[in-house]
Amino acid sequence: MLKRHQVLLTDWLTEYIKFLAEKYDVSFSEVIRISLSMYFMEMICLLHPKYKFPIAKKEMVRIFNQIAAKRLPEEAKHKLISQLYFEARKAIEFRLVQEKKCKKNKSS
Protein backbone atom coordinates (compact mmCIF):
# COMPACT_ATOMS: atom_id res chain seq x y z
CA MET A 1 0.00 0.00 0.00
CA LEU A 2 1.33 3.41 -0.91
CA LYS A 3 0.95 6.37 1.42
CA ARG A 4 1.43 10.00 0.56
CA HIS A 5 4.22 11.87 2.36
CA GLN A 6 5.68 15.27 1.80
CA VAL A 7 9.45 15.44 1.51
CA LEU A 8 11.49 18.58 1.03
CA LEU A 9 14.40 18.13 -1.37
CA THR A 10 17.27 20.39 -2.30
CA ASP A 11 17.47 21.60 -5.91
CA TRP A 12 20.44 19.39 -6.78
CA LEU A 13 18.69 16.28 -5.46
CA THR A 14 15.49 17.15 -7.29
CA GLU A 15 17.38 17.61 -10.54
CA TYR A 16 19.15 14.28 -10.16
CA ILE A 17 15.91 12.43 -9.41
CA LYS A 18 14.32 14.03 -12.49
CA PHE A 19 17.35 12.95 -14.53
CA LEU A 20 17.01 9.34 -13.30
CA ALA A 21 13.25 9.33 -13.87
CA GLU A 22 13.74 10.37 -17.48
CA LYS A 23 16.72 8.09 -18.09
CA TYR A 24 14.96 4.97 -16.77
CA ASP A 25 11.44 5.98 -17.83
CA VAL A 26 9.89 5.80 -14.37
CA SER A 27 8.08 8.35 -12.23
CA PHE A 28 9.75 10.75 -9.83
CA SER A 29 8.17 8.86 -6.91
CA GLU A 30 9.35 5.53 -8.30
CA VAL A 31 12.95 6.77 -8.39
CA ILE A 32 12.69 7.74 -4.74
CA ARG A 33 11.20 4.35 -3.76
CA ILE A 34 13.83 2.44 -5.76
CA SER A 35 16.65 4.55 -4.31
CA LEU A 36 15.45 4.11 -0.75
CA SER A 37 15.04 0.37 -1.24
CA MET A 38 18.55 0.01 -2.60
CA TYR A 39 19.97 2.21 0.16
CA PHE A 40 18.24 0.25 2.91
CA MET A 41 19.46 -3.08 1.51
CA GLU A 42 23.02 -1.78 1.28
CA MET A 43 23.01 -0.29 4.78
CA ILE A 44 21.50 -3.38 6.37
CA CYS A 45 24.20 -5.50 4.75
CA LEU A 46 26.82 -3.19 6.28
CA LEU A 47 25.17 -3.13 9.71
CA HIS A 48 24.58 -6.89 9.75
CA PRO A 49 27.39 -8.61 7.82
CA LYS A 50 25.63 -11.99 8.03
CA TYR A 51 22.85 -10.52 5.86
CA LYS A 52 24.06 -10.60 2.27
CA PHE A 53 22.94 -8.30 -0.52
CA PRO A 54 20.34 -10.50 -2.24
CA ILE A 55 20.91 -9.31 -5.81
CA ALA A 56 24.35 -9.29 -7.38
CA LYS A 57 25.35 -5.64 -7.73
CA LYS A 58 27.06 -6.16 -11.10
CA GLU A 59 23.90 -7.81 -12.38
CA MET A 60 21.79 -4.87 -11.20
CA VAL A 61 24.10 -2.42 -12.97
CA ARG A 62 23.88 -4.49 -16.16
CA ILE A 63 20.09 -4.55 -16.00
CA PHE A 64 19.80 -0.82 -15.25
CA ASN A 65 22.06 -0.12 -18.24
CA GLN A 66 19.75 -2.23 -20.40
CA ILE A 67 16.73 -0.31 -19.09
CA ALA A 68 18.40 3.02 -19.89
CA ALA A 69 19.24 1.81 -23.41
CA LYS A 70 15.59 0.69 -23.85
CA ARG A 71 16.79 -2.87 -24.57
CA LEU A 72 14.76 -4.48 -21.81
CA PRO A 73 11.05 -5.20 -22.17
CA GLU A 74 8.75 -3.17 -19.92
CA GLU A 75 7.62 -6.28 -18.03
CA ALA A 76 11.25 -7.21 -17.23
CA LYS A 77 11.81 -3.69 -15.86
CA HIS A 78 8.75 -3.99 -13.63
CA LYS A 79 9.86 -7.46 -12.50
CA LEU A 80 13.24 -6.07 -11.42
CA ILE A 81 11.62 -3.19 -9.55
CA SER A 82 9.24 -5.59 -7.79
CA GLN A 83 12.16 -7.82 -6.86
CA LEU A 84 14.01 -4.83 -5.42
CA TYR A 85 11.02 -3.88 -3.29
CA PHE A 86 10.58 -7.48 -2.12
CA GLU A 87 14.25 -7.86 -1.18
CA ALA A 88 14.30 -4.48 0.57
CA ARG A 89 11.26 -5.49 2.60
CA LYS A 90 12.97 -8.75 3.61
CA ALA A 91 16.12 -6.85 4.62
CA ILE A 92 14.12 -4.36 6.68
CA GLU A 93 12.18 -7.13 8.39
CA PHE A 94 15.48 -8.88 9.16
CA ARG A 95 16.88 -5.70 10.70
CA LEU A 96 13.78 -5.10 12.81
CA VAL A 97 13.93 -8.68 14.16
CA GLN A 98 17.62 -8.20 15.00
CA GLU A 99 16.85 -4.95 16.83
CA LYS A 100 14.07 -6.62 18.84
CA LYS A 101 16.46 -9.42 19.83
CA CYS A 102 19.07 -6.86 20.86
CA LYS A 103 16.56 -4.91 23.00
CA LYS A 104 15.30 -8.13 24.57
CA ASN A 105 18.86 -9.20 25.46
CA LYS A 106 19.64 -5.80 26.98
CA SER A 107 16.51 -5.80 29.13
CA SER A 108 17.19 -9.32 30.45
Side-chain angles (χ1 to χ4, degrees):
M1 177 192 312
L2 298 177
K3 293 187 179 184
R4 183 177 300 269
H5 295 277
Q6 184 175 11
V7 179
L8 300 175
L9 302 172
T10 58
D11 291 342
W12 62 267
L13 194 51
T14 300
E15 289 305 312
Y16 188 63
I17 293 170
K18 285 179 184 176
F19 163 77
L20 292 175
E22 186 176 312
K23 181 175 179 88
Y24 295 106
D25 192 27
V26 294
S27 70
F28 190 91
S29 295
E30 197 81 57
V31 171
I32 293 171
R33 286 190 294 272
I34 291 167
S35 299
L36 284 172
S37 295
M38 292 174 69
Y39 168 78
F40 290 142
M41 282 192 292
E42 184 71 25
M43 288 307 298
I44 289 168
C45 289
L46 293 172
L47 292 168
H48 300 277
K50 66 181 175 181
Y51 190 86
K52 299 297 178 202
F53 202 83
I55 305 167
K57 293 176 190 176
K58 286 184 179 182
E59 180 65 10
M60 279 189 5
V61 169
R62 186 186 67 76
I63 292 169
F64 277 115
N65 285 336
Q66 286 183 332
I67 291 170
K70 311 272 191 259
R71 290 188 305 232
L72 200 65
E74 200 65 22
E75 56 272 3
K77 177 172 78 172
H78 291 295
K79 182 179 177 184
L80 172 68
I81 292 169
S82 293
Q83 185 179 7
L84 277 172
Y85 292 158
F86 176 77
E87 295 297 346
R89 183 177 179 173
K90 281 183 12 184
I92 289 167
E93 288 170 350
F94 172 85
R95 171 96 197 273
L96 293 174
V97 166
Q98 296 305 310
E99 290 298 316
K100 283 183 183 178
K101 285 180 186 176
C102 186
K103 277 186 177 181
K104 193 175 186 178
N105 289 340
K106 284 183 180 180
S107 66
S108 298

